[in-house]
């Protein structure tokens, strides 16, 4: 067997080294660590030509199999390959050029469990159809520099801006959205072998689109979309929200999960779309979780002109936001504050956080019914408020350009 030899061990057990000149990360307990077949993410930093993509495809030999590839000209110069470490190393060396340089990151693909999922669900409170008649406290807090005054005194905005909510899908028929929500794409796979399962991709182009992203059983996506753009609970109540389903509930009762490659496929669909102005809100995070290739993926989105907002994480085990999935990327990283403007104790912190926002006991749309609401807590709720604020800014700028200001 050809086992991985690492240069160092990161604090989560990830092996860091090199493979044929490229950067290498092998995550703890990955099959590749024992010389076995593994799904790998191979990604160059930045865009590349079709010729470079074809060069890597032709280099695959032995038992190596290409499972998916991105679009190099859109910043996703990326492949998912199933191979042993030995066969992958031979392919990278054969491809040469940038593929065998420090511009390329190679990581073991992983299925990531959301560590705070159970905590987040336990903090949720089902309000049914009896939503509070008062202005939600998180909206009340962000329209003034200090305190709460029982109002959200912002001119309703967000017109013309679309916010991609990359999470568990959206209940697009909820009354809060007034027809401004759309089930836009579904890349979630619940099978262990994700490549054998039917995939939807963009909902509008799929012949089975009625089933595309139509089950937000987790509920976070709907809740986040309501905080972004709900008519009574949203920061930007005139923005559009487009649901991109990535999360799924494990069929074996092991919590909420996401496959690393699916995030890149979702982001690739967004970048290749013509929907602008737009904001990307990713509603989940994880510790370490292939953060090297994540850097390149987030950069591709930002370089396409789309702001990227992500939660800093609300973990008991890892406080430093720099070691979260999006911690060392150009994403707007959001931490959590409570009603006293204090950092919520499980919230991550550190120099990688860009901004804090209210994220405790946030009332918003529920997945259970078109008129139902619930409260949730977490850094994703805080990130949703920031995504709504970004939508307000983009909408205002578009209007100023339109009238020539």
């Amino acid at each position: 067997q050809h086992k991985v030899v690492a240069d160092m061990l990161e604090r989560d057990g990830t092996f860091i080294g090199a493979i044929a000149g490229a950067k290498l990360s092998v995550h703890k307990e990955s099959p590749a660590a024992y010389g076995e077949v593994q799904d790998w993410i191979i990604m160059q930093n930045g865009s590349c030509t079709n010729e470079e993509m074809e060069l890597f495809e032709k280099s695959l030999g032995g038992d190596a199999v290409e499972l998916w590839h991105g679009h190099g000209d859109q910043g996703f110069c990326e492949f998912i390959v199933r191979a042993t470490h030995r066969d992958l190393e031979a392919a990278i060396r054969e491809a040469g050029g940038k593929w065998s340089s420090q511009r390329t990151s190679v990581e073991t693909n992983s299925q990531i469990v959301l560590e705070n999922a159970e905590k987040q669900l336990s903090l949720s409170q089902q309000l049914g159809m009896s939503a509070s008649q008062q202005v939600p406290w998180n909206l009340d807090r962000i329209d003034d520099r200090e305190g709460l005054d029982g109002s959200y005194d912002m001119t309703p905005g967000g017109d013309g801006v679309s916010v991609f909510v990359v999470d568990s899908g959206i209940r697009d028929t909820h009354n809060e959205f007034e027809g401004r929500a759309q089930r836009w794409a579904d890349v979630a796979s619940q099978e262990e072998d994700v490549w054998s399962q039917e995939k939807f991709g963009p909902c509008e182009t799929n012949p089975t689109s009625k089933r595309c992203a139509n089950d937000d059983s987790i509920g976070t996506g709907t809740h986040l979309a309501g905080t972004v753009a709900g008519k009574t609970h949203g920061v930007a109540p005139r923005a559009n929200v487009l649901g991109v389903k990535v999360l799924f509930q494990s069929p074996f009762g092991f919590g909420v999960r996401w496959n690393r490659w699916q995030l890149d496929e979702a982001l690739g669909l967004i970048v290749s779309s013509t929907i602008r102005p737009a904001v990307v809100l990713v509603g989940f995070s994880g510790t370490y979780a292939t953060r090297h290739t994540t850097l390149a993926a987030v950069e591709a989105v930002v370089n396409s002109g789309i702001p990227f907002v992500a939660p800093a994480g609300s973990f008991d085990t890892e406080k430093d936001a720099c070691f979260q999935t999006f911690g060392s990327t150009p994403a707007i990283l959001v931490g959590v504050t409570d009603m006293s403007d204090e950092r919520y104790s499980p919230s991550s912190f550190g120099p990688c956080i860009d901004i804090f926002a209210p994220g405790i006991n946030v009332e918003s749309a529920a997945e259970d019914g078109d008129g139902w609401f619930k409260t949730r807590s977490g850094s994703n709720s805080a990130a949703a408020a920031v995504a709504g604020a970004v939508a307000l800014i983009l909408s205002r700028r578009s209007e100023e350009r339109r009238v020539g200001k």
Side-chain angles (χ1 to χ4, degrees):
Q1 289 185 323
H2 190 256
K3 295 185 179 181
V4 173
V5 178
D7 296 336
M8 61 175 287
L9 188 67
E10 287 197 339
R11 54 203 274 187
D12 71 335
T14 298
F15 295 97
I16 301 296
I19 177 169
K23 299 175 183 177
L24 173 68
S25 299
V26 177
H27 297 282
K28 186 179 180 181
E29 303 301 327
S30 295
Y34 306 98
E36 299 174 6
V37 172
Q38 166 79 50
D39 290 352
W40 300 85
I41 303 169
I42 304 97
M43 189 170 191
Q44 281 191 29
N45 183 19
S47 60
C48 66
T49 64
N50 290 334
E51 289 74 17
E52 288 176 289
M53 296 288 284
E54 292 172 1
L55 181 64
F56 185 84
E57 285 181 313
K58 293 177 180 178
S59 74
L60 295 173
D63 294 326
V65 178
E66 177 191 332
L67 301 176
W68 178 82
H69 68 267
H71 297 281
D73 57 348
Q74 295 167 358
F76 284 85
C77 193
E78 177 179 10
F79 286 88
I80 305 295
V81 172
R82 180 168 293 166
T84 61
H85 178 272
R86 183 191 298 273
D87 285 343
L88 182 63
E89 183 176 36
I92 295 172
R93 185 173 289 112
E94 173 69 20
K98 294 177 184 176
W99 294 109
S100 58
S101 73
Q102 291 291 293
R103 281 198 58 178
T104 296
S105 295
V106 178
E107 298 193 40
T108 50
N109 184 47
S110 55
Q111 190 177 91
I112 300 155
V113 180
L114 300 192
E115 295 182 20
N116 65 335
E118 293 305 317
K119 176 181 293 184
Q120 180 172 304
L121 292 174
S122 69
L123 286 171
S124 69
Q125 177 185 359
Q126 185 62 266
L127 300 175
M129 299 185 72
S130 58
S132 171
Q133 299 303 307
Q134 298 178 335
V135 174
W137 84 268
N138 60 313
L139 296 186
D140 187 357
R141 179 63 196 87
I142 64 176
D143 69 335
D144 295 304
R145 290 190 177 276
E146 296 181 356
L148 303 171
D149 61 6
S151 67
Y152 179 55
D153 297 323
M154 295 292 293
T155 302
D159 304 75
V161 178
S162 296
V163 180
F164 292 94
V165 181
V166 183
D167 200 82
S168 60
I170 294 177
R171 186 183 183 95
D172 58 320
T173 57
H174 199 286
N175 299 337
E176 277 288 283
F177 303 129
E178 307 175 295
R180 292 175 290 104
Q182 180 184 345
R183 294 180 288 112
W184 192 77
D186 187 341
V187 298
S189 264
Q190 301 184 22
E191 303 295 333
E192 188 68 25
D193 184 356
V194 299
W195 310 104
S196 65
Q197 180 174 320
E198 176 187 21
K199 289 167 54 186
F200 291 107
C203 293
E204 64 181 7
T205 62
N206 194 286
T208 55
S209 61
K210 289 183 178 180
R211 292 192 295 118
C212 185
N214 69 342
D215 179 21
D216 182 13
S217 60
I218 300 168
T220 51
T222 299
H223 195 272
L224 296 174
T227 302
V228 171
K231 66 178 180 179
T232 60
H233 290 68
V235 175
R238 291 183 178 173
N240 302 311
V241 280
L242 309 181
V244 182
K245 187 172 183 176
V246 172
L247 299 185
F248 62 90
Q249 190 79 45
S250 170
F252 306 108
F254 297 133
V256 179
R257 295 171 177 255
W258 56 289
N259 285 295
R260 173 62 186 82
W261 70 270
Q262 292 171 313
L263 175 62
D264 285 2
E265 183 174 16
L267 297 179
L269 290 172
I270 292 169
V271 170
S272 63
S273 76
T274 58
I275 299 173
R276 304 289 190 279
V279 183
V280 166
L281 166 65
V282 174
F284 49 87
S285 184
T287 51
Y288 282 87
T290 59
R291 58 194 177 94
H292 301 292
T293 50
T294 303
L295 170 61
V298 175
E299 286 179 339
V301 174
V302 173
N303 290 340
S304 74
I306 303 177
F308 192 112
V309 183
S314 304
F315 300 93
D316 289 326
T317 55
E318 181 55 80
K319 299 293 189 181
D320 190 342
C322 295
F323 292 99
Q324 304 301 328
T325 304
F326 304 103
S328 299
T329 73
I332 301 172
L333 203 64
V334 187
V336 190
T337 54
D338 59 21
M339 294 184 72
S340 301
D341 289 347
E342 298 291 331
R343 181 180 66 84
Y344 176 52
S345 58
S347 174
S348 298
F349 55 86
C352 290
I353 289 187
D354 297 294
I355 190 171
F356 282 85
I360 305 303
N361 296 326
V362 172
E363 181 180 301
S364 187
E367 75 281 10
D368 308 270
D370 291 345
W372 286 54
F373 297 84
K374 68 172 53 172
T375 62
R376 290 180 180 269
S377 298
S379 58
N380 52 3
S381 291
V386 172
V390 174
L392 289 178
I393 294 170
L394 291 179
S395 178
R396 186 174 301 167
R397 287 180 178 175
S398 295
E399 177 62 17
E400 288 174 351
R401 285 194 295 269
R402 188 184 69 81
V403 298
K405 288 186 178 180

